[in-house]
């Protein structure tokens, strides 16, 4: 993967309880927790494996990715380079990293480092971009974001 010649993306597989979180909550965290405008890298990490990407497995996930990307792009005022795959492309091709990379930051001795620098811009309110999927309205209250939202630096 580190050669940049495999086409792999370092990624996480998101498993969640839709009774507690909506796709809107997940995409809000995604967009706000890194800089989606950096192309093939994040901060000091460069290469195809560090690109920003979303790989949905359903059409609704894809639609939410595109709608939320467009809203966040407008809020940022610059082009987002995040790759958004279409459902079925690469589906089932998620590979778990080696054990030493699982929960890396929680391991004793890990260096507290992450080059993904948030932009400090919030995803616009759901009612401005998500009206076509009302059942995906946010479930996390604004008080959560006030306390836990990713921030630059």
């Amino acid at each position: 993967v580190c050669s940049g010649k495999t086409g792999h993306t370092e990624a996480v597989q998101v498993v969640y309880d839709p009774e507690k979180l909506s796709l809107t909550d997940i995409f809000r965290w995604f967009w706000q927790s890194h800089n989606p405008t950096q192309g093939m890298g994040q901060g000091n990490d460069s290469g195809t494996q560090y690109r920003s990407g979303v790989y949905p497995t359903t059409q609704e996930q894809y639609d939410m990715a595109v709608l939320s990307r467009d809203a966040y792009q407008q809020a940022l005022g610059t082009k987002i380079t995040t790759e958004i795959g279409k459902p079925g492309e690469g589906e089932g091709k998620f590979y778990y990293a080696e054990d030493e990379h699982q929960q890396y930051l929680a391991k004793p001795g890990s260096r507290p480092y992450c080059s993904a620098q948030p932009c400090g811009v919030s995803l616009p309110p759901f009612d401005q971009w998500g009206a076509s999927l009302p059942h995906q309205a946010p479930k996390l209250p604004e008080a959560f974001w006030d306390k836990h939202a990713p921030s630059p630096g």
Side-chain angles (χ1 to χ4, degrees):
V1 173
C2 290
S3 71
K5 296 178 183 177
T6 66
H8 288 82
T9 303
E10 289 187 6
V12 298
Q13 185 177 42
V14 178
V15 178
Y16 70 102
D17 180 348
E19 295 298 316
K20 296 180 181 178
L21 289 176
S22 69
L23 285 174
T24 299
D25 298 319
I26 292 168
F27 279 114
R28 183 173 179 179
W29 191 271
F30 173 77
W31 296 119
Q32 291 181 207
S33 67
H34 76 297
N35 184 338
T37 70
Q38 293 188 337
M40 295 296 173
Q42 282 295 305
N44 294 327
D45 293 329
S46 62
T48 58
Q49 70 271 30
Y50 299 114
R51 69 187 178 269
S52 173
V54 176
Y55 306 101
T57 58
T58 68
Q59 186 63 44
E60 184 168 74
Q61 291 171 357
Y62 175 81
D63 294 344
M64 287 292 293
V66 170
L67 287 168
S68 62
R69 178 208 53 207
D70 292 350
Y72 198 58
Q73 183 168 270
Q74 186 172 10
L76 286 175
T78 191
K79 183 165 177 53
I80 286 178
T81 58
T82 298
E83 176 179 79
I84 300 176
K86 293 205 177 356
E89 288 180 356
E91 191 172 339
K93 293 184 181 177
F94 181 85
Y95 301 97
Y96 288 94
E98 300 84 0
D99 286 343
E100 65 265 20
H101 294 290
Q102 297 298 326
Q103 300 296 319
Y104 173 75
L105 293 176
K107 293 186 185 303
S110 69
R111 59 188 176 123
Y113 159 80
C114 183
S115 64
Q117 293 297 314
C119 296
V121 174
S122 292
L123 180 66
F126 176 76
D127 61 358
Q128 293 179 15
W129 58 269
S132 63
L133 296 165
H135 61 285
Q136 290 295 348
K139 294 187 179 178
L140 293 174
E142 280 304 308
F144 169 87
W145 297 100
D146 292 343
K147 184 174 182 180
H148 302 289
S151 61

Coordinates of all heavy atoms in Angstrom, one line a residue, residues 99-147:
D99 N -2.8 -6.3 12.5 CA -3.1 -6.1 13.9 C -2.5 -4.8 14.5 O -3.1 -4.1 15.2 CB -2.8 -7.3 14.8 CG -3.8 -8.4 14.6 OD1 -4.9 -8.2 14.0 OD2 -3.4 -9.5 15.0
E100 N -1.2 -4.6 14.1 CA -0.5 -3.4 14.7 C -1.1 -2.1 14.2 O -0.9 -1.0 14.8 CB 1.0 -3.4 14.4 CG 1.3 -3.3 12.9 CD 1.5 -4.7 12.3 OE1 1.1 -5.7 12.8 OE2 2.2 -4.7 11.2
H101 N -1.9 -2.1 13.2 CA -2.6 -0.9 12.7 C -4.0 -0.7 13.2 O -4.6 0.3 13.0 CB -2.6 -0.8 11.2 CG -1.2 -0.7 10.6 ND1 -0.5 0.4 10.7 CD2 -0.5 -1.6 10.0 CE1 0.7 0.2 10.2 NE2 0.7 -1.0 9.7
Q102 N -4.6 -1.8 13.8 CA -6.0 -1.7 14.4 C -6.0 -0.9 15.6 O -5.1 -1.1 16.5 CB -6.5 -3.1 14.7 CG -6.6 -4.0 13.4 CD -7.6 -3.4 12.4 OE1 -8.6 -2.8 12.7 NE2 -7.3 -3.7 11.1
Q103 N -6.9 0.1 15.7 CA -7.0 1.0 16.9 C -5.6 1.6 17.3 O -5.3 1.7 18.4 CB -7.6 0.2 18.1 CG -9.0 -0.4 17.8 CD -10.0 0.8 17.6 OE1 -10.0 1.8 18.3 NE2 -10.9 0.6 16.6
Y104 N -4.9 2.0 16.3 CA -3.5 2.5 16.4 C -3.4 3.5 17.5 O -2.5 3.4 18.4 CB -3.0 3.0 15.1 CG -1.6 3.6 15.2 CD1 -0.5 2.8 15.3 CD2 -1.5 5.0 15.2 CE1 0.7 3.4 15.4 CE2 -0.2 5.6 15.3 CZ 0.9 4.8 15.4 OH 2.1 5.3 15.6
L105 N -4.2 4.5 17.5 CA -4.0 5.6 18.5 C -4.3 5.2 19.9 O -3.9 5.9 20.9 CB -4.8 6.8 18.1 CG -4.4 7.5 16.8 CD1 -5.3 8.6 16.4 CD2 -2.9 8.0 16.9
A106 N -5.0 4.1 20.1 CA -5.3 3.6 21.4 C -4.2 2.7 22.0 O -4.3 2.4 23.2 CB -6.7 2.8 21.4
K107 N -3.3 2.4 21.2 CA -2.2 1.4 21.6 C -1.1 2.2 22.5 O -0.8 3.3 22.1 CB -1.5 0.8 20.4 CG -2.5 -0.2 19.7 CD -1.7 -0.9 18.6 CE -2.6 -1.8 17.8 NZ -3.3 -2.8 18.4
P108 N -0.6 1.5 23.5 CA 0.5 2.1 24.3 C 1.7 2.4 23.4 O 2.0 1.6 22.5 CB 0.8 1.1 25.3 CG -0.4 0.2 25.4 CD -1.0 0.2 24.0
G109 N 2.2 3.6 23.5 CA 3.4 4.0 22.8 C 3.1 4.5 21.4 O 4.1 4.9 20.7
S110 N 1.9 4.6 21.0 CA 1.6 5.1 19.7 C 1.8 6.6 19.7 O 1.7 7.3 20.8 CB 0.1 4.9 19.3 OG -0.8 5.6 20.1
R111 N 2.3 7.2 18.6 CA 2.5 8.6 18.6 C 1.1 9.3 18.3 O 0.5 8.9 17.4 CB 3.6 9.0 17.7 CG 3.3 8.7 16.3 CD 4.6 8.9 15.4 NE 4.3 8.5 14.1 CZ 4.4 9.2 13.0 NH1 4.7 10.5 13.1 NH2 4.1 8.8 11.8
P112 N 0.8 10.3 19.1 CA -0.5 11.0 18.9 C -0.4 11.9 17.7 O -0.2 13.1 17.8 CB -0.7 11.7 20.2 CG 0.7 12.0 20.7 CD 1.5 10.8 20.3
Y113 N -0.6 11.3 16.6 CA -0.4 12.0 15.3 C -1.5 11.7 14.4 O -1.9 10.6 14.2 CB 0.9 11.6 14.7 CG 1.0 11.9 13.2 CD1 1.4 13.1 12.7 CD2 0.8 10.9 12.3 CE1 1.5 13.4 11.4 CE2 0.9 11.1 10.9 CZ 1.2 12.3 10.5 OH 1.3 12.6 9.2
C114 N -2.0 12.7 13.8 CA -2.9 12.6 12.7 C -2.8 13.8 11.8 O -2.9 14.9 12.3 CB -4.4 12.4 13.1 SG -5.5 12.2 11.8
S115 N -2.5 13.6 10.5 CA -2.2 14.7 9.7 C -3.5 15.3 9.0 O -3.5 16.3 8.3 CB -1.2 14.4 8.6 OG -1.8 13.4 7.7
A116 N -4.6 14.6 9.3 CA -5.9 15.1 8.7 C -6.3 16.4 9.5 O -6.7 16.3 10.7 CB -7.0 14.1 8.8
Q117 N -6.2 17.5 8.8 CA -6.5 18.8 9.5 C -7.9 19.3 9.1 O -8.1 19.6 7.9 CB -5.4 19.8 9.1 CG -4.1 19.5 9.6 CD -4.0 19.5 11.1 OE1 -4.6 20.4 11.8 NE2 -3.4 18.5 11.7
P118 N -8.8 19.3 10.0 CA -10.1 19.8 9.7 C -10.1 21.3 9.2 O -9.2 22.0 9.6 CB -10.9 19.8 11.1 CG -10.1 18.8 11.9 CD -8.7 18.9 11.4
C119 N -11.0 21.6 8.4 CA -11.1 23.0 7.9 C -11.8 24.0 8.8 O -11.7 25.2 8.6 CB -11.8 23.0 6.5 SG -11.0 22.0 5.3
G120 N -12.4 23.5 9.8 CA -13.1 24.5 10.8 C -14.4 25.0 10.2 O -14.9 26.0 10.7
V121 N -15.0 24.3 9.2 CA -16.3 24.8 8.6 C -17.3 23.7 8.9 O -17.0 22.5 8.7 CB -16.1 25.0 7.1 CG1 -17.4 25.3 6.4 CG2 -15.1 26.1 6.9
S122 N -18.5 24.1 9.3 CA -19.5 23.1 9.6 C -20.3 22.8 8.3 O -20.5 23.6 7.4 CB -20.5 23.7 10.6 OG -19.9 23.8 11.8
L123 N -20.8 21.5 8.3 CA -21.7 21.1 7.2 C -23.0 22.0 7.4 O -23.5 22.1 8.5 CB -22.0 19.6 7.3 CG -23.0 19.0 6.3 CD1 -22.4 19.1 4.9 CD2 -23.4 17.6 6.7
P124 N -23.5 22.6 6.3 CA -24.7 23.4 6.5 C -25.8 22.5 7.0 O -25.9 21.3 6.9 CB -25.0 23.8 5.0 CG -23.7 23.8 4.4 CD -22.9 22.7 5.0
P125 N -26.8 23.2 7.6 CA -28.0 22.5 8.2 C -28.6 21.6 7.2 O -28.8 21.9 6.0 CB -28.9 23.6 8.6 CG -28.0 24.8 8.8 CD -26.9 24.7 7.8
F126 N -29.0 20.4 7.7 CA -29.6 19.4 6.9 C -30.8 19.9 6.0 O -31.0 19.5 4.9 CB -30.1 18.2 7.8 CG -30.8 17.1 7.1 CD1 -30.1 16.2 6.3 CD2 -32.2 17.0 7.2 CE1 -30.7 15.1 5.7 CE2 -32.8 15.9 6.5 CZ -32.1 15.0 5.8
D127 N -31.7 20.7 6.6 CA -32.8 21.2 5.8 C -32.5 22.0 4.6 O -33.3 22.2 3.8 CB -33.8 21.9 6.8 CG -33.2 23.2 7.4 OD1 -32.1 23.5 7.2 OD2 -34.0 23.8 8.1
Q128 N -31.2 22.4 4.5 CA -30.8 23.2 3.3 C -30.3 22.3 2.2 O -30.2 22.7 1.0 CB -29.6 24.1 3.7 CG -30.0 25.2 4.6 CD -28.9 26.1 5.0 OE1 -27.8 26.1 4.3 NE2 -29.0 26.9 6.0
W129 N -30.1 21.0 2.4 CA -29.6 20.1 1.4 C -30.1 18.7 1.4 O -30.0 18.0 0.4 CB -28.0 20.1 1.4 CG -27.5 19.6 2.7 CD1 -27.1 20.3 3.8 CD2 -27.3 18.2 3.1 NE1 -26.7 19.5 4.8 CE2 -26.8 18.2 4.4 CE3 -27.4 17.0 2.5 CZ2 -26.4 17.0 5.1 CZ3 -27.1 15.8 3.2 CH2 -26.6 15.9 4.5
G130 N -30.8 18.3 2.5 CA -31.2 16.9 2.6 C -32.7 16.6 2.5 O -33.2 15.6 2.9
A131 N -33.5 17.6 2.0 CA -34.9 17.5 2.0 C -35.4 16.3 1.3 O -36.5 15.7 1.6 CB -35.5 18.8 1.5
S132 N -34.7 15.8 0.3 CA -35.1 14.6 -0.5 C -35.0 13.3 0.3 O -35.6 12.3 -0.1 CB -34.3 14.5 -1.8 OG -33.0 14.3 -1.5
L133 N -34.4 13.3 1.4 CA -34.2 12.1 2.3 C -34.5 12.5 3.7 O -33.7 12.4 4.6 CB -32.8 11.6 2.1 CG -32.4 11.1 0.7 CD1 -30.9 10.9 0.6 CD2 -33.1 9.8 0.4
P134 N -35.8 12.9 4.0 CA -36.1 13.4 5.3 C -35.9 12.4 6.5 O -35.6 12.8 7.6 CB -37.6 13.7 5.2 CG -38.1 13.0 4.1 CD -36.9 12.8 3.1
H135 N -35.9 11.1 6.2 CA -35.7 10.1 7.2 C -34.2 10.0 7.6 O -33.8 9.3 8.6 CB -36.2 8.7 6.8 CG -35.5 8.2 5.5 ND1 -35.8 8.7 4.3 CD2 -34.5 7.3 5.4 CE1 -35.0 8.1 3.4 NE2 -34.2 7.2 4.0
Q136 N -33.3 10.7 6.9 CA -31.9 10.8 7.3 C -31.6 12.1 8.1 O -30.4 12.4 8.2 CB -31.0 10.7 6.1 CG -31.0 9.3 5.4 CD -30.4 8.3 6.3 OE1 -29.8 8.5 7.3 NE2 -30.6 7.0 5.9
A137 N -32.6 12.7 8.6 CA -32.4 13.9 9.4 C -31.4 13.6 10.5 O -31.4 12.5 11.0 CB -33.7 14.5 9.9
P138 N -30.6 14.6 11.0 CA -29.7 14.3 12.1 C -30.3 13.8 13.4 O -31.5 14.2 13.7 CB -29.0 15.6 12.3 CG -29.5 16.6 11.3 CD -30.6 15.9 10.6
K139 N -29.6 12.9 14.1 CA -30.1 12.4 15.4 C -29.3 13.0 16.5 O -29.8 13.0 17.6 CB -30.1 10.9 15.4 CG -31.1 10.3 14.4 CD -31.3 8.9 14.4 CE -32.4 8.4 13.4 NZ -32.6 7.0 13.4
L140 N -28.1 13.4 16.2 CA -27.3 14.0 17.2 C -27.7 15.5 17.4 O -27.8 16.2 16.4 CB -25.8 13.9 16.9 CG -25.2 12.5 16.8 CD1 -23.7 12.6 16.3 CD2 -25.2 11.9 18.2
P141 N -27.8 15.9 18.6 CA -28.2 17.3 18.9 C -27.0 18.3 18.7 O -25.9 17.9 18.7 CB -28.7 17.3 20.3 CG -27.9 16.2 20.9 CD -27.7 15.1 19.9
E142 N -27.4 19.5 18.4 CA -26.3 20.5 18.2 C -25.4 20.6 19.5 O -24.2 20.9 19.3 CB -26.9 21.9 17.9 CG -27.3 22.1 16.5 CD -26.2 21.8 15.5 OE1 -25.1 22.4 15.6 OE2 -26.4 21.0 14.6
A143 N -25.9 20.3 20.6 CA -25.1 20.3 21.9 C -23.9 19.3 21.7 O -22.8 19.6 22.2 CB -25.9 20.0 23.1
F144 N -24.2 18.2 21.0 CA -23.1 17.2 20.8 C -22.0 17.9 20.0 O -20.8 17.8 20.3 CB -23.6 16.0 20.1 CG -22.5 15.1 19.6 CD1 -22.0 14.1 20.4 CD2 -22.0 15.2 18.3 CE1 -20.9 13.3 20.0 CE2 -20.9 14.4 17.9 CZ -20.4 13.5 18.7
W145 N -22.4 18.5 18.9 CA -21.4 19.2 18.0 C -20.7 20.3 18.7 O -19.5 20.5 18.5 CB -22.1 19.6 16.7 CG -22.6 18.4 16.0 CD1 -23.9 18.0 16.0 CD2 -21.8 17.5 15.2 NE1 -24.0 16.8 15.2 CE2 -22.7 16.5 14.7 CE3 -20.5 17.3 14.9 CZ2 -22.3 15.4 14.0 CZ3 -20.1 16.3 14.1 CH2 -21.0 15.3 13.7
D146 N -21.4 21.1 19.5 CA -20.8 22.2 20.3 C -19.6 21.6 21.1 O -18.6 22.3 21.3 CB -21.8 22.9 21.2 CG -22.8 23.7 20.3 OD1 -22.6 23.9 19.1 OD2 -23.9 24.0 20.9
K147 N -19.8 20.4 21.7 CA -18.8 19.9 22.6 C -17.8 19.0 21.9 O -16.6 19.1 22.3 CB -19.5 19.0 23.7 CG -18.6 18.5 24.7 CD -19.4 17.8 25.8 CE -18.4 17.3 26.9 NZ -19.1 16.6 28.0

